[in-house]
Amino acid sequence: MTYHCPSCGEPFDPADGFCEACGTPVAPAAISSDAGGSALECPVCSADTSIAPSGVTAEGYCESCGRRVPSVRDHVELDVGLAAGVTDRGLRHTRNEDAMALAATMSPDGPAAVAVVCDGVSSAPRADEASLTAARAAVRALLLAVRAGDAPAAASAAAARAGGTALAELTGPAGAPAATYASAVVTGDAVTVCWLGDSRVYWLAAEGSSSRCLTKDDSVAQELVAAGIATAEEAMASPQAHVITRWLGADLPDPQPHVTRFEPPGPGVVLICSDGLWNYRTEPADLAAMALPAALNDPPAAAVALVKFAVEAGGADNITAVLAPFPPVWSES
């Protein structure tokens, strides 16, 4: 397949950072983490896990000394200019089953930020691989569609389905891996959001009180609230609060993602996050107070601060926070 620069129309290699003909940024997506795997050396007994990877158990422990070998996915920070994100293992999980993928590009209408966050379903097999596989496949499909000028809503739904198709290839004797899904395409005039499950997308307004959650969870808790059976507080206190009703995975072969378009009334920041963050701060106004104004001009630092807050609040789950300022503007540097 030949890809064409959205600015000048000349062909380019997706692995390149810029169109060689006109200089337009066409950088590939940043994904946490394409490297995957574990650290090359056990920090306690110095066993070389790159030479003998079988010396590390599936749970990430060194078979020589029994200590945990840190994974390169335990804590990842990404910055693509128009968006930045942090994902962290937290304090109670043995591995990070969240994944994020970010990209900054030029659409035919101007700069655009693309972000995907997936949270592997722990009750399904290979949850860490599931989130990474879905995020990688989805962001690549979404990025190419945005560059080509495809309608963001249709592109977002197609990208989610691409993530689901990629997950089907992971299915094995142990069962079907699964993950939640949330994406955002941030352009100069709107934010297009797509999701399945309980990862969320928030609009954090720079001014006024228009901050809001742009997604509605596919969860038992949300169904209880919608049916008037429980308040939000009561539903979240239920043992089934985080049981999801839609997801990506081979056991749901025809996913029906939600897609919505939001036109911000002014400057602000789009937050895409897993439940490891919003478990501790559900209200949009509270998240806005924590992230702003830093997130407008320094998204990497603001994302670090949000994840640090969740870790210090208990870190009971994996945590991912991605921030994309609106409107997207290329740095002069």
Side-chain angles (χ1 to χ4, degrees), residues 250-265:
D251 54 347
L252 196 68
D254 186 25
Q256 298 296 318
H258 308 276
V259 181
T260 188
R261 172 186 166 94
F262 173 66
E263 297 183 5

Side-chain angles (χ1 to χ4, degrees), residues 28-119:
I31 303 167
S32 66
S33 158
D34 273 331
S38 298
L40 296 181
E41 184 176 286
C42 173
V44 177
C45 70
S46 299
D48 190 338
T49 62
S50 66
I51 295 175
S54 60
V56 179
T57 69
E59 292 75 27
Y61 291 90
C62 176
E63 291 186 340
S64 295
C65 69
R67 299 299 181 93
R68 187 176 182 280
V69 180
S71 165
V72 294
R73 286 182 63 185
D74 279 1
H75 182 91
V76 180
E77 300 179 15
L78 299 177
D79 180 7
V80 296
L82 298 184
V86 177
T87 184
D88 191 273
R89 178 173 61 90
L91 299 178
R92 301 188 189 178
H93 283 240
T94 59
R95 61 186 179 184
N96 190 355
E97 296 174 351
D98 282 5
M100 61 179 177
L102 320 177
T105 191
M106 283 293 293
S107 73
D109 297 322
V114 173
V116 174
V117 168
C118 293
D119 181 354

